[in-house]
Structure formats: structure tokens, C-alpha cells
Amino acid sequence: MTTVYERRAAPRLAPPAGRSPAGAVLALLWAGAAAVIAMWWADTGSVVGAAGWLTGAGRIAGLLCGYACAVLVGLMARVPLLERRVGSDRVARWHAMAGRYTVCLLAAHVVLILLGYAAQDRASVWHETVTVVLDYPDMLKATAGTVILFAVGITSARAVRRRTSYEFWYYVHLLTYAAVFLAFFHQLTLGNDFNGHRIATAAWYALYLGVAALVLWFRILAPVRLNMRHRLRVQSVHREAPGVHSIVVHGRRLDELGARPGQFFRWRFLGEGLGWTSTPYSLSAPPRPDLMRITVKALGDHSAAVSLLRPGTRVWAEGPYGSMTEDRQTSPRSLLIAAGVGITPLRALFETLPGEVTLLYRARTAEDLALGAELEAIARWRGAKVLYALNGPAGRRPDLTAQSLRATFPDLAGHDVYICGPHGFARDLYEELRAAGVPDRRIHHESFEL
């Protein structure tokens, strides 16, 4: 691969992004929730009796659920401000949390409203349920949307997710769009807070249409434009280590993408039966005006099939995404710690990060060190260090504790530390780094765990 990616000083592609807007975004989202509650408060007079309390609580839960649905879809829109400045992994965690809130609020809304209506009409809950679903306007569509949202929630539960394929989870997850669309109309038809309230109705339409516009632009139109403009195709596939292959992708004017070392794209390879799945893979070398490279380890059916790609295969890409770039650097000294295929984004950063850089590469055996020759060549070229943490002869794992890290790097607290590897590895290492005195603001990591 050194014949394709010769070592070169990579220019700074953009000025530092500055402070993350995560706090401001979260404040805005919570302010929206407060505004929804204020809307209910302004439209509600006295609450009398059990039926009134149940119905009122159901209305609050329904309004917040409707708002949470819009937030949920907005966080799926892959807005560059969020994906590149806040970080894709953090946005994914927000989305997962919003999903849990949405399902809980939806369940509360359904149960409380039906109990309140049943108490008000002095009917059984079953009779009230049948009446609401069959006789109330837009409720058949809303019921279908409710069922879909519950199905999405169930398949997203960790215990279920572990037992299903990524492809199944992904396509069930896409049904969220249909569920939100089906449930939207009954909110305006039956919602007391919207009937006769033009400002509230206009604000609700603006919220949902704004989110729909974000999805249309960033999930559909922007990727279409990217792929029509840059015409990506597989140029070559190279074996790097057992089960690890690099895929070099050729395209036109790729420098216009603004991709940076440490970032990733979502890749869809239109061949070998892979066209149905979009998967995130990091750039494993600094991008060039005509080439990009990813390095993939066979961890499942999709990643294993990537090694069988043929030159000329068309590629559909979305991105770039991710915030684990040079912009996070706060110190002239950086420590990169990779485990397994987590070396891919750190290999690109190892070549381009300014200042004093050390790379610590964790693997089972020397044979598993993907891109090892490139790392050694980069270290010689820029005067950096590469250290390896390999299993002992009996398979014993090396210690990466606070004590051992401080012993190896006496001034560890003064480093920026970039981590990439399996979720458990990154989580444990983060705790050890904090115990070693590294400030949270100097520990940088991004996870693709779904």
C-alpha cells in the first residue's frame, strides 16, 4: 500500500472547529420540551376528578411523545453540524436515549388516555379502546404507527439487538419514518392543544416539516449529489493481516469532500450482494484528490464479503462524518492507542497530527498488526514512536492500567489521548486514563457500536 499512499505532509484542510456545540444543542432540545409543557399549561383550565387527572397526564405524555418523535427523526438526519462537531457516537447515544423516552412516553400516553376516557364514559377499558381505534378520526393510522414504534423499540433493546443481524435491525429501524408519518395526523385532529389554536398548529407543522426537510436534504439529496459528482469505484483490494483487507476507492475531485484524517464514511458497495447495507468504515490513510482508503476486518457477513470486491465495483458513500480529528487536539503531545482494527483512523492521524506523537498498538500477535509496515515507515519519516502491546506466550494480555501507562508515559496527563478499538476496550481504557490523571477534555474517542 505504500506504493499507493506515499508519505506526504498533509495540509490542514479546515481551521479548528472550536468548542463543541453539544451543550447548546441539548439546551435547545430541553427548551423545546419545556415549551411543549407550557403549551399544555396555557390551554388547560382546572383539572377535576380522576378522569381529568388521567386524561391531562395522557395529554402531556402525548405532546411530549410527539415532540420526541420529531427530535428522534432529526437526530437520524445526519446533519453535518452534529455529525462533525458534536460527534457521530454522541449523536447516536442521544438518538438511543430519545428512542427510549419516545417509547416510554408513547406507552404512558396510550394507557393514561384510555384509562381517562374509560373513567369519563364509565365504560370498560376494552370497550373504550375499540371505540377510540375504530371510531375516532385518524386513529387507525395512529394505531399502525404505534405498533411500528413499539416494534422498533423492541428490536433496539440490547438483548434483542444481540440476536439479530445488523441488516434486520437497520431496515426495521427505517420504519420509524413511516410510524411518525402515520401518527402525525391524529395529533392535530384530536389534540385539544391544537384545535382552534393557529399558532400552536403552525409551530407543530414547522417542527415536523423542518425535520422532514433535514432528512430529505442530508439523507437523500446530499448523498445523491456526492455520488453523482464524485463517481466512486473500487480501485483495488489488498490483504493487510489475517481477516483484514484494505479497499482503495477511486473518485473525481475527492478533495472537495473536505474529508479529514480520523473521519469515516458510510459505505455501500454495489456488488457482491452488499448493496443493501450501508456500513461505517474509517479512512485508514489521509484522503487524496483521487483516492480514499478504508481497512476492514472480517467480523460478520458484510465485512467478510468486502474482501471479495472486484476492481471497478461502484461505491455509494455518505459523509464525511466524525469529530475525532486534529481539531480536538489541545496539547503539542499526543498519544494514540489502538486495538485491533481500531488502528484504521489512528493510522491516518498518526501521519498528520502535528507535534510529538506516540502510537500504542494493542493486538493479540505480531501477525495481527495490520498496517504495521506503514506505521513503522511513518514513525521513521516524522521521528515519532510506535509501541506494541502483544499477548504473552501463554496468551496473557498486557497490562494497560493507570500504573503501567504512567510508568511508560511519565507526563501522560499532559497528552491528548486518542482511543479507537472495541467498545469494552475503549471503556476500560478511558477509566484507566482518568485514574492516571488525564483530564476528560483530553481523552478523545468515537465508537461505531450500534
Side-chain angles (χ1 to χ4, degrees):
M1 291 307 299
T2 52
T3 58
V4 176
Y5 277 95
E6 69 272 14
R7 298 182 301 280
R8 58 177 66 183
R12 181 186 289 271
L13 299 178
R19 187 175 180 179
S20 168
V25 173
L26 283 177
L28 181 63
L29 294 179
W30 284 112
V36 169
I37 295 175
M39 180 174 67
W40 171 86
W41 181 271
D43 187 57
T44 302
S46 60
V47 179
V48 180
W53 282 104
L54 288 169
T55 304
R59 284 174 56 200
I60 294 174
L63 287 169
L64 288 173
C65 181
Y67 173 72
C69 283
V71 171
L72 192 68
V73 174
L75 292 174
M76 294 171 66
R78 297 177 188 167
V79 179
L81 172 67
L82 300 179
E83 297 283 336
R84 301 176 191 174
R85 295 284 305 281
V86 174
S88 297
D89 59 338
R90 182 180 290 185
V91 174
R93 290 195 297 272
W94 290 355
H95 173 72
M97 183 179 296
R100 289 190 287 272
Y101 286 155
T102 301
V103 171
C104 291
L105 288 167
L106 178 60
H109 170 64
V110 171
V111 171
L112 292 169
I113 282 291
L114 290 176
L115 288 175
Y117 285 180
Q120 180 178 302
D121 296 340
R122 298 186 180 183
S124 69
V125 175
W126 172 251
H127 178 271
E128 200 65 37
T129 301
V130 173
T131 301
V132 168
V133 172
L134 297 181
D135 296 343
Y136 282 37
D138 293 315
M139 274 308 302
L140 280 175
K141 290 186 290 186
T143 301
T146 298
V147 171
I148 293 173
L149 276 177
F150 279 134
V152 172
I154 290 170
T155 56
S156 297
R158 190 176 296 274
V160 177
R161 177 69 185 91
R162 289 171 178 168
R163 291 170 172 79
T164 58
S165 67
Y166 169 79
E167 290 78 11
F168 175 80
W169 172 86
Y170 176 77
Y171 285 108
V172 170
H173 220 64
L174 286 181
L175 292 175
T176 302
Y177 295 121
V180 172
F181 175 78
L182 290 169
F184 173 74
F185 298 99
H186 93 287
Q187 300 176 50
L188 299 178
T189 303
L190 300 175
N192 292 337
D193 302 280
F194 300 109
N195 291 330
H197 297 79
R198 293 183 179 180
I199 294 178
T201 301
W204 213 246
Y205 268 112
L207 173 65
Y208 273 77
L209 290 175
V211 168
L214 292 177
V215 172
L216 176 64
W217 181 258
F218 293 113
R219 292 293 299 260
I220 299 175
L221 298 180
V224 168
R225 179 181 181 274
L226 182 156
N227 288 280
M228 293 292 291
R229 182 175 181 81
H230 299 289
R231 305 285 182 176
L232 303 175
R233 292 184 180 272
V234 173
Q235 176 169 289
S236 57
V237 179
H238 304 263
R239 182 182 183 275
E240 303 287 1
V244 180
H245 290 77
S246 285
I247 296 87
V248 179
V249 176
H250 180 272
R252 303 183 302 183
R253 302 189 297 274
L254 299 184
D255 51 324
E256 296 177 5
L257 290 172
R260 311 187 66 188
Q263 291 187 313
F264 67 94
F265 286 76
R266 298 179 187 272
W267 305 89
R268 192 186 302 270
F269 299 100
L270 306 183
E272 309 299 334
L274 301 178
W276 293 101
T277 304
S278 173
T279 307
Y281 295 122
S282 295
L283 298 175
S284 61
R288 289 174 44 177
D290 58 339
L291 296 175
M292 295 189 292
R293 188 185 72 177
I294 59 175
T295 301
V296 179
K297 184 173 183 177
L299 298 173
D301 293 341
H302 183 276
S303 53
V306 167
S307 64
L308 304 177
L309 289 170
R310 300 177 182 178
T313 300
R314 292 184 61 189
V315 181
W316 185 274
E318 299 175 41
Y321 302 123
S323 63
M324 196 172 69
T325 65
E326 176 187 330
D327 290 345
R328 289 195 177 186
Q329 194 176 40
T330 63
S331 167
R333 292 167 295 175
S334 298
L335 171 62
L336 316 181
I337 306 180
V341 78
I343 189 61
T344 53
L346 299 191
R347 182 266 180 241
L349 286 170
F350 187 51
E351 181 174 338
T352 57
L353 274 179
E356 179 185 323
V357 182
T358 302
L359 172 66
L360 176 59
Y361 191 176
R362 164 80 180 96
R364 287 192 297 269
T365 67
E367 189 180 23
D368 294 318
L369 294 171
L371 309 174
E374 290 185 21
L375 297 173
E376 295 286 352
I378 292 169
R380 290 193 298 270
W381 166 64
R382 63 172 301 170
K385 297 178 183 177
V386 181
L387 305 175
Y388 302 102
L390 306 177
N391 288 358
R396 183 177 180 276
R397 294 185 176 185
D399 254 351
L400 290 180
T401 62
Q403 293 75 18
S404 65
L405 290 168
R406 275 200 304 259
T408 306
F409 309 99
D411 55 348
L412 180 62
H415 284 70
D416 278 295
V417 183
Y418 290 77
I419 307 171
C420 194
H423 179 70
F425 168 84
R427 181 192 61 233
D428 294 343
L429 184 57
Y430 172 84
E431 297 298 333
E432 296 297 335
L433 289 168
R434 294 292 288 123
V438 182
D440 180 75
R441 69 180 185 280
R442 287 188 172 173
I443 303 175
H444 317 301
H445 57 94
E446 205 159 33
S447 170
F448 294 152
E449 188 176 64
L450 300 169

